[in-house]
Amino acid sequence: MNKIKTITRPRVICHMVSSVDGKIDGESLRDVMPEGEYEAIGEKLNGDAWICGRTTMQQHFAEPKPFVSKSKKPAGPQPVFVARKAKSYAVSVDTKGKLLWASGDLDDDHLICVVSERAPKDYLEMLRDRKISYVVSGKESVNLRNAVNQLGKHFGIRTLLLEGGGHINGGFLEAGLVDEVSLLMVPGVDGRHDISAVFDGMNPSRKAAVPLKLKSVDKRKKNALWLRYSVVR
Ligand SMILES: NC(=O)c1ccc[n+]([C@@H]2O[C@H](COP(=O)([O-])OP(=O)(O)OC[C@H]3O[C@@H](n4cnc5c(N)ncnc54)[C@H](OP(=O)(O)O)[C@@H]3O)[C@@H](O)[C@H]2O)c1
């Protein structure tokens, strides 16, 4: 019998808070943000993992100082390392293996580091020593599609919450990996130039917006709106 092998990648929901003008700087939104709403909505999305770009992970979760490689020898292609299986995961995307982690646990979630083949060999050693899982995907930059497939295949992740910042969100959207956008729009205008937006850094030659289809609108505390869209393909 002819068996057809299909890898079903995790469903990706981009879950973000933004001002009315689409800006995502948490500091500027503090006073207009309904406390606990982002997290409460996140629970409803039933993700078994959340993922952030290197800048966001550095700002909020990783050790303050970066990893310094002794050998500076790129790891090259490497198999996936599963330190342990967990009920929920935190995933970082860090092309060159710069983020330093104290342990493999982050807010009760097991940490998975997605890096490219440029990450140093001793960076992966550090991760193994600290029982942190990793996925090496892509030569020069992280191959997001392959990485997401590996997360599904090796860790059983079915719903991945993409939680920013703007550049990693833009990378996922350009790679055709965002299935849904969950936006908590808070009643405030940031208005500053050069502040990260929900989706950022996409190809400047792109002339048309990525179309979305409205799924639901919910009025939340403090006059915030929870907007849910599916991405039209
Ligand atoms: N309001 C919200 O809901 C929310 C949520 C999260 C973050 N934020 C805010 O967002 C801001 C940071 O956003 P950001 O856009 O500057 O950074 P980011 O998206 O957090 O991280 C971007 C970095 O991720 C790495 N990366 C690896 N592969 C990538 C790929 N294929 N595509 C794109 N990036 C890739 C790159 O660094 P390397 O090349 O070094 O790997 C890139 O510079 C902060 O102000 C943070 O507080 C807001």
Side-chain angles (χ1 to χ4, degrees):
M1 205 167 77
N2 206 2
K3 274 195 184 164
I4 301 169
K5 252 191 167 176
T6 50
I7 300 175
T8 48
R9 68 164 175 84
R11 179 170 176 74
V12 176
I13 305 176
C14 180
H15 179 47
M16 296 291 289
V17 179
S18 88
S19 61
V20 168
D21 54 332
K23 302 292 167 95
I24 61 169
D25 175 22
E27 284 293 307
S28 93
L29 301 178
R30 188 181 294 153
D31 292 345
V32 287
M33 176 99 137
E35 208 185 317
E37 286 286 77
Y38 176 76
E39 294 76 11
I41 293 170
E43 288 288 313
K44 286 177 189 277
L45 297 173
N46 273 326
D48 40 19
W50 54 278
I51 187 165
C52 285
R54 202 237 336 133
T55 309
T56 299
M57 282 301 200
Q58 182 64 74
Q59 264 180 19
H60 300 288
F61 301 102
E63 295 294 290
K65 289 204 170 143
F67 176 80
V68 179
S69 171
K70 287 201 175 89
S71 67
K72 296 191 169 59
K73 199 171 180 289
Q78 296 290 331
V80 172
F81 174 65
V82 182
R84 69 177 174 90
K85 293 278 181 73
K87 266 172 82 178
S88 57
Y89 298 92
V91 187
S92 75
V93 191
D94 173 16
T95 314
K96 299 180 273 299
K98 287 184 182 167
L99 296 172
L100 186 60
W101 300 100
S103 83
D105 296 304
L106 209 60
D107 286 354
D108 297 330
D109 302 321
H110 175 60
L111 178 64
I112 307 171
C113 294
V114 173
V115 297
S116 75
E117 293 175 22
R118 290 165 72 188
K121 244 182 157 170
D122 53 358
Y123 184 74
L124 300 186
E125 274 164 32
M126 179 274 291
L127 296 180
R128 286 196 300 272
D129 283 352
R130 295 178 187 191
K131 302 193 171 36
I132 300 168
S133 298
Y134 59 75
V135 172
V136 179
S137 172
K139 233 178 163 53
E140 291 299 315
S141 58
V142 170
N143 178 332
L144 293 175
R145 180 167 289 276
N146 175 63
V148 167
N149 284 339
Q150 301 301 323
L151 292 173
K153 184 174 168 194
H154 294 276
F155 299 91
I157 294 170
R158 302 299 350 128
T159 303
L160 180 60
L161 303 186
L162 171 62
E163 298 193 347
H167 281 89
I168 198 68
N169 292 351
F172 266 76
L173 192 62
E174 280 202 315
L177 290 168
V178 179
D179 300 295
E180 188 178 327
V181 177
S182 160
L183 188 67
L184 180 63
M185 194 171 81
V186 296
V189 175
D190 185 309
R192 291 171 295 165
H193 196 246
D194 289 338
I195 296 294
S196 293
V198 177
F199 294 95
D200 235 338
M202 290 173 66
N203 187 342
S205 66
R206 159 185 287 281
K207 292 278 186 285
V210 175
L212 306 174
K213 183 167 182 267
L214 186 65
K215 282 180 82 175
S216 60
V217 185
D218 232 356
K219 190 173 167 192
R220 308 289 298 193
K221 281 191 259 173
K222 263 184 137 176
N223 289 318
L225 291 181
W226 178 26
L227 305 166
R228 282 184 86 167
Y229 295 96
S230 42
V231 175
V232 178
R233 295 214 168 81

